[in-house]
């Protein structure tokens, strides 16, 4: 006699994961990712050097070309970085009014994660993993933690 274990039925629908290793998916997402990133950079009043570093150390010439022309296919790393940053942007605008949401990354922060520096300095110094940490912190705050 075999006993099969089954998970309870759920009304929660999961969305399929996007395979960023698949070029067609990156082609589909890249233009809107870049457009969103440059809008975020303007809202946050990022210096070009900081924006380039958040993108993973992009050269000046590439940065200005990307700023003028969003028609390109981004690598997995850059799409992931932009995804975290857009998630941070969205969470901030849910948690705070627009003015504070856009200033938050440039304000010194007493949270132990930031050690008195700004969230921007933390992300510039820690790269992708720091962006992930900030995103998780804000998502937890949105969830009431």
């Amino acid at each position: 006699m075999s006993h099969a274990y089954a998970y309870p039925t759920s009304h929660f629908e999961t969305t399929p994961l996007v395979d960023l290793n698949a070029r067609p998916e990156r082609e589909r997402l890249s233009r809107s990712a870049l457009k969103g990133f440059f809008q975020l950079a303007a809202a946050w009043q990022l210096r070009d050097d900081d924006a380039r570093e958040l993108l993973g150390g992009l050269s000046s010439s590439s940065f200005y070309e990307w700023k003028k022309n969003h028609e390109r296919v981004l690598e997995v790393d850059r799409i992931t970085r932009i995804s975290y940053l857009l998630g941070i942007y969205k969470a901030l605008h849910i948690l705070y009014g627009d003015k504070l949401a856009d200033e938050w990354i440039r304000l010194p922060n007493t949270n132990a994660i930031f050690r008195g520096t700004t969230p921007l300095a933390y992300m510039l110094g820690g790269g992708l993993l720091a962006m992930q940490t900030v995103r998780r912190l804000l998502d937890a705050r949105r969830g009431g933690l």
Side-chain angles (χ1 to χ4, degrees), residues 31-97:
R31 180 176 166 69
S32 58
L34 280 174
K35 183 178 176 185
F37 174 79
F38 286 112
Q39 289 175 344
L40 167 154
W44 285 355
Q45 299 177 6
L46 294 177
R47 295 180 14 227
D48 287 349
D49 287 347
D50 292 341
R52 290 178 31 236
E53 189 61 34
L54 290 174
L55 286 171
L58 191 62
S59 71
S60 292
S61 58
S62 293
F63 178 78
Y64 294 114
E65 176 59 31
W66 290 18
K67 202 171 184 179
K68 286 189 301 188
N69 178 8
H70 303 325
E71 297 296 329
R72 63 187 60 314
V73 179
L74 298 175
E75 306 89 356
V76 172
D77 177 75
R78 294 222 163 90
I79 288 179
T80 303
R81 287 170 177 272
I82 293 171
S83 174
Y84 280 132
L85 293 167
L86 291 173
I88 290 165
Y89 177 88
K90 179 180 176 183
L92 288 170
H93 281 265
I94 290 169
L95 289 167
Y96 307 115

Side-chain angles (χ1 to χ4, degrees), residues 15-30:
T15 55
L17 293 176
V18 174
D19 180 6
L20 292 179
N21 290 311
R23 185 176 174 88
E25 289 297 329
R26 293 195 323 275
E27 288 173 353
R28 182 178 66 82
L29 296 169
S30 291

Side-chain angles (χ1 to χ4, degrees), residues 11 21 25-26 29 31 38 72 84 90 93 100 108 114 117 122 124 129 134 137 141 143 145:
H11 297 288
N21 290 311
E25 289 297 329
R26 293 195 323 275
L29 296 169
R31 180 176 166 69
F38 286 112
R72 63 187 60 314
Y84 280 132
K90 179 180 176 183
H93 281 265
L100 178 57
F114 305 116
T117 66
Y122 175 75
L124 290 171
L129 293 177
V134 173
L137 169 71
R141 285 186 183 165
L145 300 178

